[in-house]
């Protein structure tokens, strides 16, 4: 038997998914860990956790599936995007990685816009400078930690540090590379102009590769640690969102994916670099060769429901909460919820944005509050989809949905009504790790193209279509859109 492994280096765990030649998931191994918040708004992590997590997860999945490392023919990598991993000339970590959810760099974002020019920055990279991206983190280290900066010889992203430990190679995929905003989006590689403007040595930046391309092979030391066979090829892979899109089959132009996890992402594949002139949605390279994507990101999607449950119904089952919310009519009897609990990225790139219930009356109870949360998240996703439409994306007929939030039939119906599209789920729930496995399958020669692998391995099943409540939601969304501009001045005083 032959198998491939997809490895996902996320913020809180490393997951290894073993995939067989038919596309069936043979096993899953997971190792959890935490991250540090040394100061308010900071978020850092020891890269050693990713290596230890990968060793544990790989050994666990091989053992659970009863598969020998000799049977694994390729490895694919994915993981959290944007994290800044700084290494010295010997490949040793200089300081803890600064993660995607770190918010310390607002001043550095302003400095990047001033240095490059805001319009030129978006024209080259497809994106505005936001606190989550890698470039502002590097500028922060340059300006605040000069002793560390003088030692830098390599800059990697989290999954690429794992690649270094597995293969000894400095390499990166083009999807993750574009998320640094140091990329020329159209050229699909590092931008000499941006690097020069920010004082970043081009020699620090790893060579970039298309997602299914082989970037190295498992070393003898890594084989001894993980149980994999020395010489097993490791493909470039992709950042977590592009790999997740591969895992749900969003690999051809016009295919749209929705990830409804802690954050919410609407992802649309394109055949050319397309971006919003104001940078309100992200534009990155895809893990699929010669493809790009538009992506809107809201920071608190299913995370909003978790907050609500933990704050107002601790210990309650999510299913029971949502079942009760179905007793309330669409529109929650006039109650609206803003889901900006941790700031926002799309459509309002504002770390100071805050959540709110608006329209509360004595007739509202917990059922209304729950349904308003579900609807508010859907309205936020609609805002992102509207921005993507303004950038040239046609209205999708079907959206492929994944993530824990899609388990709710009520939430799926709300999404179909608000987004105006059929909602479909796919036959695997392993997301980015599964997508990394598909990229490895192409690298192993099982399929010639990513499209071929996705077509063979991924089946989409419609689960909701727009219904009679769509018109009511269109009216409610129009009211929702007026709330942020009205409340934004108060956010800056709280």
């Amino acid at each position: 038997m032959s198998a491939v492994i997809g490895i996902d280096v996320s913020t809180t765990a490393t997951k290894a998914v073993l995939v067989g030649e038919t596309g069936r998931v043979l096993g899953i191994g997971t190792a959890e860990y935490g991250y540090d918040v040394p100061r308010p708004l900071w978020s850092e992590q020891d890269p050693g956790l990713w290596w230890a997590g990968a060793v544990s997860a790989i050994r666990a999945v091989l053992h659970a599936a009863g598969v020998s490392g000799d049977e694994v023919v390729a490895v694919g990598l994915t993981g959290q995007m944007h994290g800044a991993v700084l290494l010295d000339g010997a490949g040793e970590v200089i300081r803890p990685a600064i993660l995607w959810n770190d918010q310390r760099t607002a001043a550095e974002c302003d400095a990047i816009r001033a240095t490059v020019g805001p319009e030129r920055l978006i024209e080259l990279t497809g994106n505005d400078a936001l606190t989550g991206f890698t470039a502002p983190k590097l500028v922060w280290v340059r300006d605040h930690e000069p002793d560390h900066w003088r030692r830098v010889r390599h800059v990697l992203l989290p999954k690429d540090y794992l690649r270094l430990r597995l293969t000894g190679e400095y390499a990166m995929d083009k999807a993750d590379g574009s998320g640094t905003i140091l990329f020329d989006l159209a050229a699909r590689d590092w931008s000499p102009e941006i690097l020069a403007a920010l004082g970043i040595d081009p020699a620090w930046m790893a060579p970039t590769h298309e997602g299914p391309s082989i970037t190295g092979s498992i070393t003898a030391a890594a084989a001894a640690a993980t149980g994999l066979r020395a010489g097993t090829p490791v493909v470039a892979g992709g950042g977590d969102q592009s790999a997740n899109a591969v895992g749900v089959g969003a690999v051809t132009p016009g295919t749209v994916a929705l990830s409804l996890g802690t954050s919410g992402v609407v992802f649309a594949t394109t055949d050319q670099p397309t971006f919003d002139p104001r940078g309100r949605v992200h534009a990155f390279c895809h893990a699929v060769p010669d493809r790009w994507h538009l992506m809107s990101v809201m920071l608190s999607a299913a995370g909003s429901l978790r907050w609500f449950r933990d704050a107002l119904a601790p210990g309650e089952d999510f299913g029971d909460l949502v079942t009760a919310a179905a007793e309330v009519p669409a529109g929650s009897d006039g109650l609206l919820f803003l889901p900006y609990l941790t700031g926002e990225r799309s459509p309002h790139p504002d770390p100071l944005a805050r959540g709110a219930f608006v329209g509360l009356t004595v007739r509202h109870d917990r059922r209304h509050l729950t349904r308003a949360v579900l609807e508010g998240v859907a309205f936020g996703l609609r805002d992102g989809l509207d921005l993507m439409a303004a950038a040239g994306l046609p209205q999708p007929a079907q959206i492929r949905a994944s993530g824990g939030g899609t388990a709710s039939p009520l939430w799926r119906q709300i999404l179909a009504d608000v987004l105006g599209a059929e909602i479909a789920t796919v036959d695997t729930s392993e997301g980015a790790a599964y997508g990394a496995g598909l990229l490895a399958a192409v690298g192993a020669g099982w399929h010639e193209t990513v499209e071929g692998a996705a077509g063979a391995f991924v089946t989409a099943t419609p689960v909701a279509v727009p219904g009679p409540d769509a018109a009511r939601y269109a009216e409610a969304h129009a009211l929702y859109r007026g709330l942020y501009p009205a409340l934004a001045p108060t956010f800056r005083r709280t």
Side-chain angles (χ1 to χ4, degrees), residues 450-469:
V450 179
E451 297 91 330
F457 289 173
V458 181
T459 300
T461 303
V463 291
V465 297
D469 291 331

Side-chain angles (χ1 to χ4, degrees), residues 101-406:
N101 54 350
D102 188 285
Q103 298 289 332
R104 77 183 74 177
T105 59
E108 286 70 30
C109 290
D110 290 339
I112 290 172
R113 294 185 194 102
T115 300
V116 179
E119 294 83 8
R120 182 59 174 162
L121 178 67
I122 295 172
E123 178 185 349
L124 276 172
T125 72
N127 298 276
D128 189 14
L130 301 179
T131 53
F133 292 157
T134 316
K137 298 172 174 56
L138 299 181
V139 173
W140 186 91
V141 174
R142 183 196 71 191
D143 294 346
H144 291 82
E145 298 180 346
D147 289 343
H148 288 155
W149 189 251
R150 281 190 288 270
R151 295 176 56 201
V152 175
R153 294 298 179 270
H154 302 281
V155 176
L156 293 177
L157 297 169
K159 75 171 191 329
D160 303 308
Y161 177 75
L162 176 58
R163 183 195 321 278
L164 177 65
R165 297 295 299 267
L166 288 171
T167 69
E169 300 290 341
Y170 294 93
M172 191 180 297
D173 73 284
K174 295 181 183 293
D176 227 357
S178 62
T180 64
I181 67 163
L182 298 170
F183 241 50
D184 182 322
L185 185 67
R188 299 178 72 85
D189 213 342
W190 304 113
S191 167
E193 181 177 337
I194 300 290
L195 293 174
L198 303 185
I200 297 171
D201 188 339
W204 298 354
M205 312 311 295
T208 64
H209 307 265
E210 299 291 357
S213 299
I214 295 172
T215 57
S217 58
I218 300 295
T219 65
T226 63
L228 296 172
R229 175 181 55 82
T232 303
V234 177
V235 304
D240 55 3
Q241 294 302 329
S242 58
N244 181 73
V246 172
V248 301
V251 296
T252 55
T255 311
V256 175
L258 165 64
S259 175
L260 191 58
T262 300
S263 60
V265 175
V266 180
F267 181 111
T269 302
T270 64
D271 59 4
Q272 58 186 350
T274 305
F275 57 87
D276 172 47
R278 292 169 57 187
R280 294 169 296 176
V281 292
H282 305 328
F284 298 142
C285 300
H286 204 321
V288 183
D290 299 319
R291 296 273 163 80
W292 290 259
H293 67 84
L294 284 171
M295 184 171 75
S296 71
V297 178
M298 62 183 303
L299 296 181
S300 296
S304 291
L305 184 61
R306 176 173 291 278
W307 162 81
F308 176 78
R309 192 278 305 271
D310 292 347
L312 298 181
E316 187 105 8
D317 180 75
F318 285 114
D320 293 340
L321 270 179
V322 174
T323 297
E327 300 169 2
V328 173
S332 303
D333 286 332
L335 182 62
L336 294 167
F337 173 72
L338 279 186
Y340 308 143
L341 298 174
T342 53
E344 194 51 295
R345 280 166 74 167
S346 302
H348 310 296
D350 181 1
L352 299 179
R354 294 293 178 260
F357 283 103
V358 177
L360 276 168
T361 70
V362 293
R363 74 177 184 274
H364 293 122
D365 58 30
R366 195 174 73 178
R367 298 171 303 159
H368 294 83
L369 293 167
T370 305
R371 184 161 189 140
V373 170
L374 304 181
E375 293 173 348
V377 171
F379 292 150
L381 294 168
R382 176 80 227 190
D383 283 347
L385 186 61
D386 286 346
L387 288 178
M388 295 162 75
L393 178 74
Q395 169 65 28
Q398 182 190 82
I399 296 176
R400 297 188 174 193
S402 63
T406 61

Side-chain angles (χ1 to χ4, degrees), residues 44-90:
E44 299 185 345
Q45 200 161 47
D46 174 8
L49 295 173
W50 308 329
W51 171 242
V55 169
S56 177
I58 293 168
R59 285 197 168 275
V61 74
L62 293 175
H63 176 76
V67 172
S68 164
D70 291 339
E71 297 174 276
V72 176
V73 296
V75 176
L77 301 179
T78 185
Q80 53 176 303
M81 298 178 66
H82 314 309
V85 185
L86 306 181
L87 308 176
D88 64 18

